[in-house]
């Protein structure tokens, strides 16, 4: 019997890389890749200058692959903060990926587990935003599914490669690139664009505004707990405002 083309992960990845939508995904992410790469460069520098060894910094950038949580955790690690504080802060900063995963579930649940894990690992903010803009609904036909997956893979591959290359460069040149250059601001601008594009409803805009105000109000909290506080306040307010109305019992006997 002839083996299925999906029998080997390597065969599957090669076929996706040869798909036209793979190149389309990489082409669209290339517009924001320089800004994210600048942010990755400064993240690499910050990890080493905070006191992490080269091995620790390389392991963190390869395994974590989440710039915002890395930058949130670095000063906590340097300050010898309790492990629960570091984990809680990183978890709260990355809560948005829970939402991303829930939305992408319908797009990838037909895939084998290794492919779903790989897709979750390489999917970042901009890859998610560009993907859902291009494909508002999950496909059902095999050819359409293949095109969607190829696009997601193309964007994710270029985004991952540009971030890792820049971050590893920052680790290698940590003593030559001062943090005062402020290159990380390019990444902040990129994420600001992501946040604005996602604020597509009144509820989202309100929650973003409340989170920002709460983070500023609680800025004096130690270990950057103002981030955790801001997220908790925004989530609590959103749940309160979206609370379903009580059932109408006027028709009950």
């Amino acid at each position: 019997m002839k083996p299925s083309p999906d029998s080997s992960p390597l065969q599957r990845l090669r076929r996706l890389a040869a798909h036209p939508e793979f190149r389309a995904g990489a082409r669209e992410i290339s517009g924001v890749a320089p800004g994210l790469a600048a942010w990755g460069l400064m993240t690499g520098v910050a990890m080493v200058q905070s006191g992490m060894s080269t091995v620790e910094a390389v392991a963190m950038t390869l395994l974590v692959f989440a710039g915002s949580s890395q930058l949130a955790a670095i000063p906590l690690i340097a300050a010898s903060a309790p492990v629960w504080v570091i984990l809680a802060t990183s978890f709260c900063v990355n809560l948005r990926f829970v939402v991303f995963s829930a939305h992408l579930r319908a797009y990838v649940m037909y895939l084998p587990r290794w492919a779903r894990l790989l897709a979750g690992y390489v999917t970042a903010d901009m890859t998610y935003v560009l993907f859902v803009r291009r494909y508002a609904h999950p496909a059902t036909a095999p050819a359409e599914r293949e095109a969607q997956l190829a696009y997601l893979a193309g964007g994710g591959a270029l985004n991952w490669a540009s971030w890792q290359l820049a971050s590893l460069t920052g680790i290698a040149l940590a003593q030559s690139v001062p943090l005062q250059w402020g290159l990380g601001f390019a990444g902040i601008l990129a994420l600001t664009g992501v946040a604005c594009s996602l604020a597509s409803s009144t509820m989202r805009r309100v929650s973003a505004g409340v989170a920002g105000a709460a983070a500023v109000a609680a800025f004096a909290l130690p270990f950057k707990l103002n981030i955790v506080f801001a997220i908790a306040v925004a989530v609590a307010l959103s749940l309160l405002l979206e609370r379903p109305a009580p059932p109408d019992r006027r028709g009950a006997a």
Side-chain angles (χ1 to χ4, degrees):
M1 180 180 294
K2 185 178 179 180
S4 169
D6 292 338
S7 59
S8 167
L10 185 57
Q11 288 177 339
R12 178 74 183 230
L13 293 175
R14 284 176 175 173
R15 193 168 76 249
L16 289 176
H19 198 287
E21 283 298 284
F22 184 95
R23 294 188 292 274
R27 183 171 58 251
E28 292 199 8
I29 202 69
S30 65
V32 296
L36 297 177
W39 189 24
L41 176 68
M42 295 312 299
T43 301
V45 172
M47 286 190 290
V48 175
Q49 293 192 0
S50 69
M52 298 178 68
S53 68
T54 301
V55 173
E56 292 170 338
V58 170
M60 187 176 194
T61 193
L62 292 175
L63 297 176
V64 178
F65 183 48
S68 53
S69 65
Q70 286 178 246
L71 290 177
I74 287 170
L76 300 180
I77 296 173
S80 299
V83 173
W84 73 267
V85 173
I86 299 173
L87 294 177
T89 301
S90 300
F91 176 78
C92 290
V93 169
N94 277 350
L95 273 177
R96 66 192 186 279
F97 289 109
V98 177
V99 179
F100 295 171
S101 299
H103 186 198
L104 291 177
R105 185 177 187 275
Y107 291 87
V108 300
M109 277 306 295
Y110 70 95
L111 296 171
R113 180 175 298 176
W114 69 264
R116 298 198 305 269
L117 291 174
L118 182 59
Y121 171 69
V122 300
T123 299
D125 300 90
M126 287 307 304
T127 51
Y128 168 79
V129 171
L130 294 176
F131 176 78
V132 296
R133 281 183 176 177
R134 188 175 183 91
Y135 297 108
H137 304 287
T140 55
E144 294 175 352
R145 282 181 169 179
E146 191 80 356
Q148 291 185 352
L149 186 59
Y151 180 89
L152 183 64
L158 180 59
N159 184 65
W160 182 88
S162 61
W163 174 271
Q164 298 296 349
L165 178 61
S167 185
L168 294 174
T169 301
I171 293 171
L173 303 178
Q175 306 306 321
S176 304
V177 181
L179 292 174
Q180 289 76 9
W181 284 9
L183 294 178
F185 189 64
I188 296 175
L189 291 178
L191 283 186
T192 299
V194 173
C196 292
S197 66
L198 292 177
S200 56
S201 67
T202 301
M203 178 60 68
R204 291 180 179 180
R205 289 189 288 270
V206 169
S207 62
V210 169
V216 173
F219 186 76
L221 290 176
F223 303 129
K224 294 189 180 294
L225 287 175
N226 61 314
I227 298 175
V228 180
F229 174 76
I231 294 172
V233 170
V235 170
L237 179 63
S238 297
L239 291 175
L240 180 64
L241 294 178
E242 288 190 338
R243 185 174 54 188
D248 187 357
R249 302 182 181 276
R250 289 177 298 179

